Amino acid sequence: MEKWQQHYHAMKRWKVRALSVAIGKVEKAENGWIIEGTEADDFAKAYFVWAHSMRDWFIKTGTVERTRLDQLLGNFGQWKNVRDLANKSKHAVITSASIDPNWNSGVKIDLNAMLRGEMGVEPYVSIGGRYMKLVDAILETDSMWDEIVQELELDVSVQ
């Protein structure tokens, strides 16, 4: 398996981890509610760092020419989001051109749903003037890479 393929499969594993906790956690305690979105936020940020560095792996391994890859990535609005999510997660401050250097993430809480016994917790990311469920942001990014790999006719099978 080539190095870019190893990174690709690691990125896919981070997606699974991020999605597995992307609904947040809530439980009723003696003195109120315990609401936890930190794990969802952490795993999603790790996923976006891996998804962003996929570009570097394609270029450094000579799998795809930089101009060709950047042209393909430019067709996807979510690429700029991925870049910002990864860079701010790694560096805290974005100094290069960005779509939204002040993006934020958090947890939306629906107390009525919680009182009905439903989850009522929804991790989100707000970037580029767009509010998204964390799950949707992750799935959009995953779909972007799947489309690019298909367009480039790359073999991502595990050998």
Side-chain angles (χ1 to χ4, degrees):
M1 186 179 328
E2 293 188 40
K3 294 285 185 186
W4 73 264
Q5 289 169 316
Q6 291 173 8
H7 188 87
Y8 178 85
H9 289 288
M11 176 187 70
K12 291 290 191 174
R13 289 190 302 272
W14 275 108
K15 176 195 83 167
V16 170
R17 291 178 190 122
L19 290 175
S20 73
V21 296
I23 57 168
K25 295 179 183 176
V26 62
E27 67 181 76
K28 191 165 172 83
E30 270 185 44
N31 56 350
W33 294 90
I34 299 172
I35 299 168
E36 177 60 65
T38 306
E39 193 173 50
D41 199 50
D42 289 348
F43 277 52
K45 287 176 182 174
Y47 169 73
F48 288 116
V49 169
W50 279 85
H52 180 260
S53 61
M54 192 69 242
R55 175 186 175 272
D56 294 336
W57 278 97
F58 278 138
I59 293 168
K60 287 179 183 177
T61 58
T63 306
V64 185
E65 244 182 65
R66 177 188 305 264
T67 24
R68 174 73 174 127
L69 185 56
D70 287 343
Q71 176 190 29
L72 287 171
L73 288 167
N75 294 331
F76 294 91
Q78 61 266 44
W79 173 245
K80 291 179 182 176
N81 291 342
V82 171
R83 187 186 64 205
D84 284 1
L85 290 164
N87 285 329
K88 188 175 175 186
S89 295
K90 290 189 304 187
H91 307 295
V93 175
I94 300 176
T95 56
S96 58
S98 67
I99 191 168
D100 187 354
N102 300 311
W103 65 265
N104 66 67
S105 58
V107 178
K108 178 182 167 188
I109 300 167
D110 181 346
L111 291 175
N112 289 325
M114 289 169 58
L115 291 172
R116 290 190 306 268
E118 300 166 9
M119 185 55 70
V121 177
E122 181 181 278
Y124 72 88
V125 63
S126 180
I127 186 166
R130 188 171 168 215
Y131 173 92
M132 291 180 279
K133 293 178 183 179
L134 204 50
V135 169
D136 293 339
I138 292 165
L139 292 174
E140 279 185 9
T141 301
D142 185 59
S143 176
M144 173 193 76
W145 278 121
D146 286 346
E147 288 183 45
I148 288 172
V149 163
Q150 185 176 11
E151 174 72 24
L152 295 170
E153 298 178 351
L154 295 172
D155 180 13
V156 294
S157 61
V158 179
Q159 300 167 357

Coordinates of all heavy atoms in Angstrom, one line a residue, residues 36-82:
E36 N -22.1 16.7 27.2 CA -20.7 16.6 26.8 C -20.6 16.7 25.3 O -21.2 15.9 24.6 CB -20.1 15.3 27.3 CG -18.7 15.0 26.9 CD -17.7 16.0 27.3 OE1 -17.5 16.2 28.5 OE2 -17.2 16.7 26.4
G37 N -19.9 17.7 24.8 CA -19.7 17.8 23.4 C -18.2 17.8 23.0 O -17.8 17.9 21.9
T38 N -17.4 17.8 24.0 CA -15.9 17.9 23.8 C -15.4 16.8 23.0 O -14.6 17.0 22.1 CB -15.2 17.9 25.2 OG1 -15.8 19.0 26.0 CG2 -13.7 18.2 25.0
E39 N -15.8 15.6 23.3 CA -15.2 14.4 22.5 C -15.6 14.6 21.0 O -14.8 14.3 20.1 CB -15.8 13.1 23.1 CG -15.0 11.9 22.5 CD -15.4 10.6 23.2 OE1 -16.6 10.4 23.4 OE2 -14.5 9.9 23.7
A40 N -16.9 15.0 20.7 CA -17.3 15.2 19.4 C -16.5 16.2 18.7 O -16.0 16.1 17.6 CB -18.8 15.6 19.3
D41 N -16.2 17.3 19.4 CA -15.5 18.4 18.8 C -14.0 18.0 18.6 O -13.5 18.3 17.5 CB -15.5 19.6 19.8 CG -15.1 20.9 19.2 OD1 -15.6 21.3 18.2 OD2 -14.2 21.6 19.8
D42 N -13.4 17.3 19.5 CA -12.0 16.8 19.4 C -11.9 15.9 18.2 O -10.9 16.0 17.4 CB -11.5 16.2 20.7 CG -11.3 17.1 21.8 OD1 -11.3 18.3 21.6 OD2 -11.2 16.6 22.9
F43 N -12.7 14.9 18.1 CA -12.6 13.9 17.0 C -12.9 14.5 15.7 O -12.2 14.2 14.7 CB -13.6 12.7 17.3 CG -13.0 11.7 18.2 CD1 -12.6 12.0 19.5 CD2 -13.0 10.4 17.9 CE1 -12.1 11.1 20.3 CE2 -12.5 9.4 18.7 CZ -12.0 9.7 20.0
A44 N -13.8 15.5 15.6 CA -14.1 16.2 14.3 C -12.9 17.0 13.9 O -12.5 17.0 12.7 CB -15.3 17.0 14.5
K45 N -12.3 17.7 14.8 CA -11.1 18.5 14.5 C -10.0 17.6 14.0 O -9.3 17.9 13.0 CB -10.7 19.3 15.7 CG -11.6 20.5 15.9 CD -11.2 21.3 17.2 CE -12.2 22.4 17.4 NZ -11.9 23.1 18.7
A46 N -9.8 16.5 14.7 CA -8.8 15.5 14.2 C -9.1 15.0 12.8 O -8.2 15.0 11.9 CB -8.7 14.3 15.2
Y47 N -10.3 14.7 12.5 CA -10.7 14.3 11.2 C -10.4 15.4 10.2 O -9.8 15.1 9.1 CB -12.2 14.0 11.1 CG -12.7 13.8 9.7 CD1 -12.3 12.7 9.0 CD2 -13.4 14.8 9.1 CE1 -12.7 12.5 7.7 CE2 -13.8 14.6 7.7 CZ -13.4 13.5 7.0 OH -13.8 13.3 5.7
F48 N -10.7 16.6 10.5 CA -10.5 17.7 9.5 C -9.0 17.9 9.3 O -8.6 18.3 8.1 CB -11.2 19.0 9.9 CG -12.7 18.9 9.7 CD1 -13.5 19.0 10.8 CD2 -13.3 18.7 8.5 CE1 -14.9 18.9 10.7 CE2 -14.7 18.6 8.3 CZ -15.5 18.7 9.4
V49 N -8.2 17.8 10.3 CA -6.7 17.9 10.1 C -6.3 16.8 9.1 O -5.5 17.0 8.2 CB -6.0 17.8 11.4 CG1 -4.5 17.6 11.2 CG2 -6.3 19.1 12.3
W50 N -6.7 15.5 9.3 CA -6.4 14.4 8.4 C -6.9 14.7 7.0 O -6.2 14.4 6.0 CB -6.9 13.1 9.0 CG -6.0 12.6 10.0 CD1 -6.0 12.9 11.4 CD2 -4.9 11.6 9.9 NE1 -5.0 12.2 12.0 CE2 -4.3 11.4 11.1 CE3 -4.4 11.0 8.7 CZ2 -3.2 10.6 11.3 CZ3 -3.4 10.1 8.9 CH2 -2.8 9.9 10.2
A51 N -8.2 15.2 6.9 CA -8.8 15.4 5.6 C -8.0 16.5 4.9 O -7.8 16.5 3.7 CB -10.2 15.8 5.8
H52 N -7.6 17.5 5.6 CA -6.8 18.6 5.0 C -5.4 18.1 4.5 O -5.0 18.5 3.4 CB -6.7 19.8 5.9 CG -5.9 20.9 5.4 ND1 -4.6 21.1 5.6 CD2 -6.3 21.9 4.5 CE1 -4.2 22.2 5.0 NE2 -5.2 22.7 4.3
S53 N -4.8 17.3 5.3 CA -3.4 16.9 4.9 C -3.4 15.8 3.8 O -2.4 15.5 3.3 CB -2.7 16.4 6.2 OG -3.3 15.3 6.7
M54 N -4.6 15.4 3.4 CA -4.7 14.4 2.3 C -4.1 15.1 1.1 O -3.5 14.5 0.3 CB -6.2 14.0 2.1 CG -6.4 12.9 1.2 SD -5.8 11.3 1.9 CE -4.6 10.9 0.6
R55 N -4.4 16.4 0.9 CA -3.9 17.1 -0.3 C -2.3 17.0 -0.3 O -1.8 16.7 -1.3 CB -4.3 18.6 -0.2 CG -3.7 19.5 -1.2 CD -4.1 21.0 -1.0 NE -3.4 21.8 -2.0 CZ -2.2 22.3 -1.8 NH1 -1.5 22.0 -0.7 NH2 -1.6 23.1 -2.7
D56 N -1.7 17.3 0.8 CA -0.2 17.2 0.9 C 0.3 15.8 0.5 O 1.3 15.7 -0.1 CB 0.3 17.6 2.3 CG 0.0 19.1 2.6 OD1 -0.2 19.9 1.7 OD2 -0.1 19.4 3.8
W57 N -0.4 14.8 1.0 CA 0.1 13.4 0.7 C 0.0 13.1 -0.8 O 0.9 12.5 -1.3 CB -0.7 12.4 1.5 CG -0.2 12.3 2.9 CD1 -0.6 12.9 4.0 CD2 1.0 11.6 3.3 NE1 0.2 12.6 5.1 CE2 1.2 11.8 4.7 CE3 1.9 10.7 2.6 CZ2 2.2 11.2 5.4 CZ3 2.9 10.1 3.3 CH2 3.0 10.3 4.7
F58 N -1.1 13.6 -1.4 CA -1.2 13.4 -2.8 C -0.1 14.1 -3.6 O 0.5 13.5 -4.5 CB -2.6 13.9 -3.4 CG -3.7 12.9 -3.2 CD1 -4.9 13.4 -2.8 CD2 -3.6 11.6 -3.4 CE1 -6.0 12.6 -2.6 CE2 -4.6 10.7 -3.3 CZ -5.9 11.2 -2.9
I59 N 0.2 15.3 -3.2 CA 1.3 16.1 -3.9 C 2.7 15.5 -3.6 O 3.5 15.3 -4.5 CB 1.1 17.6 -3.5 CG1 -0.2 18.1 -4.0 CG2 2.3 18.4 -4.0 CD1 -0.5 19.5 -3.5
K60 N 3.0 15.3 -2.3 CA 4.3 14.9 -1.9 C 4.7 13.5 -2.4 O 5.9 13.3 -2.7 CB 4.4 14.9 -0.4 CG 4.5 16.3 0.2 CD 4.6 16.2 1.7 CE 4.6 17.6 2.3 NZ 4.6 17.6 3.7
T61 N 3.7 12.7 -2.6 CA 4.0 11.3 -3.2 C 4.0 11.3 -4.7 O 4.2 10.3 -5.3 CB 3.0 10.3 -2.7 OG1 1.7 10.7 -3.0 CG2 3.1 10.1 -1.2
G62 N 3.7 12.5 -5.3 CA 3.7 12.5 -6.8 C 2.5 11.9 -7.4 O 2.4 11.6 -8.6
T63 N 1.5 11.6 -6.6 CA 0.3 10.9 -7.1 C -0.6 11.8 -8.0 O -1.1 11.4 -9.0 CB -0.6 10.4 -5.9 OG1 0.3 9.6 -5.0 CG2 -1.8 9.6 -6.3
V64 N -0.6 13.1 -7.6 CA -1.4 14.1 -8.4 C -0.6 15.3 -8.4 O 0.0 15.8 -7.5 CB -2.8 14.4 -7.7 CG1 -3.6 15.3 -8.5 CG2 -3.5 13.1 -7.4
E65 N -0.6 16.0 -9.6 CA 0.1 17.3 -9.7 C -0.7 18.3 -8.9 O -1.9 18.3 -8.9 CB 0.0 17.7 -11.2 CG 1.4 17.8 -11.9 CD 1.3 18.2 -13.3 OE1 0.9 19.4 -13.6 OE2 1.6 17.4 -14.1
R66 N 0.1 19.2 -8.3 CA -0.5 20.2 -7.5 C -1.6 21.0 -8.2 O -2.7 21.2 -7.6 CB 0.6 21.2 -7.0 CG 0.1 22.3 -6.1 CD 1.1 23.4 -5.8 NE 2.3 22.7 -5.2 CZ 2.5 22.7 -3.8 NH1 1.6 23.2 -3.0 NH2 3.6 22.1 -3.4
T67 N -1.3 21.5 -9.4 CA -2.3 22.3 -10.1 C -3.6 21.5 -10.4 O -4.7 22.1 -10.3 CB -1.7 22.8 -11.5 OG1 -0.7 22.0 -11.9 CG2 -1.3 24.2 -11.4
R68 N -3.4 20.3 -10.8 CA -4.6 19.4 -11.1 C -5.4 19.2 -9.8 O -6.7 19.4 -9.8 CB -4.2 18.1 -11.6 CG -5.3 17.1 -11.8 CD -6.2 17.4 -13.0 NE -7.1 16.3 -13.2 CZ -8.4 16.5 -13.3 NH1 -8.9 17.8 -13.2 NH2 -9.3 15.5 -13.5
L69 N -4.8 18.9 -8.7 CA -5.5 18.7 -7.4 C -6.2 20.0 -6.9 O -7.3 20.0 -6.5 CB -4.5 18.2 -6.4 CG -5.2 17.8 -5.0 CD1 -6.3 16.8 -5.2 CD2 -4.1 17.2 -4.1
D70 N -5.4 21.1 -7.0 CA -6.0 22.4 -6.6 C -7.2 22.8 -7.5 O -8.2 23.4 -7.0 CB -5.0 23.5 -6.5 CG -4.0 23.3 -5.4 OD1 -4.4 22.6 -4.4 OD2 -2.9 23.9 -5.4
Q71 N -7.1 22.4 -8.7 CA -8.3 22.7 -9.6 C -9.5 21.9 -9.2 O -10.6 22.4 -9.1 CB -7.9 22.3 -11.1 CG -9.0 22.5 -12.1 CD -8.6 21.9 -13.4 OE1 -7.8 20.9 -13.5 NE2 -9.2 22.4 -14.5
L72 N -9.3 20.6 -8.9 CA -10.4 19.7 -8.4 C -10.9 20.2 -7.1 O -12.1 20.3 -6.9 CB -9.9 18.3 -8.3 CG -9.7 17.5 -9.6 CD1 -9.0 16.2 -9.3 CD2 -11.0 17.3 -10.3
L73 N -10.0 20.5 -6.2 CA -10.5 21.0 -4.8 C -11.3 22.3 -5.0 O -12.2 22.6 -4.2 CB -9.3 21.2 -3.9 CG -8.7 19.9 -3.4 CD1 -7.3 20.1 -2.8 CD2 -9.6 19.1 -2.5
G74 N -10.9 23.2 -5.9 CA -11.6 24.4 -6.1 C -13.0 24.3 -6.6 O -13.8 25.2 -6.4
N75 N -13.4 23.1 -7.0 CA -14.7 22.8 -7.4 C -15.7 22.5 -6.2 O -16.9 22.4 -6.4 CB -14.8 21.6 -8.4 CG -14.1 21.9 -9.7 OD1 -14.1 23.0 -10.2 ND2 -13.6 20.8 -10.3
F76 N -15.1 22.4 -5.1 CA -15.8 22.1 -3.9 C -15.7 23.2 -2.8 O -14.7 23.5 -2.3 CB -15.2 20.8 -3.2 CG -15.4 19.6 -4.0 CD1 -14.4 19.2 -4.9 CD2 -16.6 18.8 -4.0 CE1 -14.6 18.1 -5.7 CE2 -16.7 17.7 -4.7 CZ -15.8 17.3 -5.6
G77 N -16.9 23.8 -2.6 CA -17.0 24.9 -1.6 C -16.5 24.4 -0.2 O -15.9 25.2 0.6
Q78 N -16.7 23.2 0.1 CA -16.3 22.7 1.5 C -14.8 22.6 1.6 O -14.3 22.5 2.8 CB -17.0 21.4 1.8 CG -16.7 20.2 1.0 CD -17.7 20.0 -0.1 OE1 -18.1 21.0 -0.8 NE2 -18.2 18.8 -0.3
W79 N -14.0 22.6 0.6 CA -12.5 22.6 0.7 C -12.0 23.7 1.5 O -11.2 23.6 2.4 CB -11.8 22.5 -0.6 CG -10.3 22.6 -0.5 CD1 -9.5 23.6 -0.9 CD2 -9.5 21.7 0.3 NE1 -8.2 23.4 -0.5 CE2 -8.2 22.2 0.2 CE3 -9.7 20.5 0.9 CZ2 -7.1 21.6 0.8 CZ3 -8.6 19.9 1.5 CH2 -7.4 20.4 1.5
K80 N -12.5 25.0 1.3 CA -12.1 26.1 2.0 C -12.5 26.0 3.5 O -11.7 26.4 4.4 CB -12.7 27.4 1.5 CG -12.1 27.8 0.1 CD -12.7 29.0 -0.4 CE -12.2 29.3 -1.8 NZ -12.8 30.5 -2.4
N81 N -13.6 25.4 3.8 CA -14.0 25.1 5.2 C -13.0 24.1 5.8 O -12.6 24.3 6.9 CB -15.4 24.5 5.2 CG -16.5 25.5 4.9 OD1 -16.2 26.7 4.9 ND2 -17.7 25.0 4.5
V82 N -12.7 23.0 5.1 CA -11.8 22.0 5.6 C -10.4 22.7 5.9 O -9.9 22.4 7.0 CB -11.6 20.9 4.6 CG1 -10.5 19.9 5.0 CG2 -12.9 20.1 4.4

